[in-house]
Amino acid sequence: MQIADRCVVTFAYTLRDAAGAVLDQADAAEPFTYLHGRNSIVPGLERGLAGQAPGARCKVTVTPQDGYGMRDEKLVQVVAREQFDTETPLAVGMQFHTRDEGGAVHMVAITAITEAGVTIDANHPLAGQTLNFDVEILDVRQATAEELAHGHAHGPGAHHH
Ligand code: ZN
């Protein structure tokens, strides 16, 4: 069957950035499974996979707007070292969760440490990037009633509960 809304899709992929560096991958032994049509994956990839069938191999290029969004420099801040209540020495590349005034949780990463303070960046690590996916569709099946009610796929490569 072809990929459409209410389908559960299993696929293997390699994700490369514009320069060809591998950012992420899932091979056929440990593929990724999702419920199509529920924004489980970035919009550009979901659109690119629609209509594909098992066995298909395709390349999908996703612009930042259809991927993880554009970078927002307002999400980059310099804060004082003293604000970090941690026993672990701070290092560039460390990631941690913060809570904003509205209570939403964000993942932020330390991108620089200088005399002036610690630079933290709350943009998604892939924001602003063009994403090049090489995809192999492994399986397409009808979602179960339970999966549709939950809004996500169940089983290997998806939710377990
Ligand atoms: Zn569930």
Side-chain angles (χ1 to χ4, degrees):
M1 71 190 283
Q2 290 184 318
I3 297 174
D5 287 358
R6 306 165 73 88
C7 284
V8 169
V9 181
T10 298
F11 67 99
Y13 69 92
T14 301
L15 169 59
R16 293 186 180 84
D17 66 14
V22 174
L23 298 173
D24 193 16
Q25 59 192 126
D27 63 20
E30 279 183 78
F32 185 83
T33 296
Y34 77 99
L35 174 57
H36 192 84
R38 299 295 183 94
N39 298 313
S40 308
I41 59 176
V42 294
L45 181 60
E46 189 162 58
R47 269 206 306 281
L49 296 183
Q52 300 284 355
R57 287 171 185 270
C58 54
K59 290 184 190 294
V60 180
T61 298
V62 177
T63 62
Q65 290 88 342
D66 283 331
Y68 292 98
M70 300 305 290
R71 284 185 55 80
D72 179 354
E73 295 310 319
K74 289 196 294 294
L75 297 176
V76 178
Q77 288 182 293
V78 178
V79 297
R81 272 171 190 261
E82 297 74 52
Q83 291 205 15
F84 291 86
D85 178 23
T86 169
E87 293 178 7
T88 316
L90 298 178
V92 170
M94 276 175 71
Q95 294 186 319
F96 50 95
H97 292 99
T98 63
R99 206 173 277 275
D100 66 21
E101 296 102 60
V105 175
H106 298 274
M107 180 73 108
V108 304
I110 294 179
T111 55
I113 301 176
T114 66
E115 304 254 310
V118 178
T119 304
I120 57 172
D121 186 346
N123 285 288
H124 189 283
L126 297 180
Q129 298 220 34
T130 296
L131 310 173
N132 295 301
F133 288 92
D134 274 302
V135 177
E136 180 181 6
I137 308 297
L138 301 173
D139 186 57
V140 181
R141 64 170 170 83
Q142 211 103 53
T144 65
E146 187 183 52
E147 287 172 325
L148 291 172
H150 288 197
H152 55 229
H154 291 160
H159 288 256
H160 300 270
H161 54 186

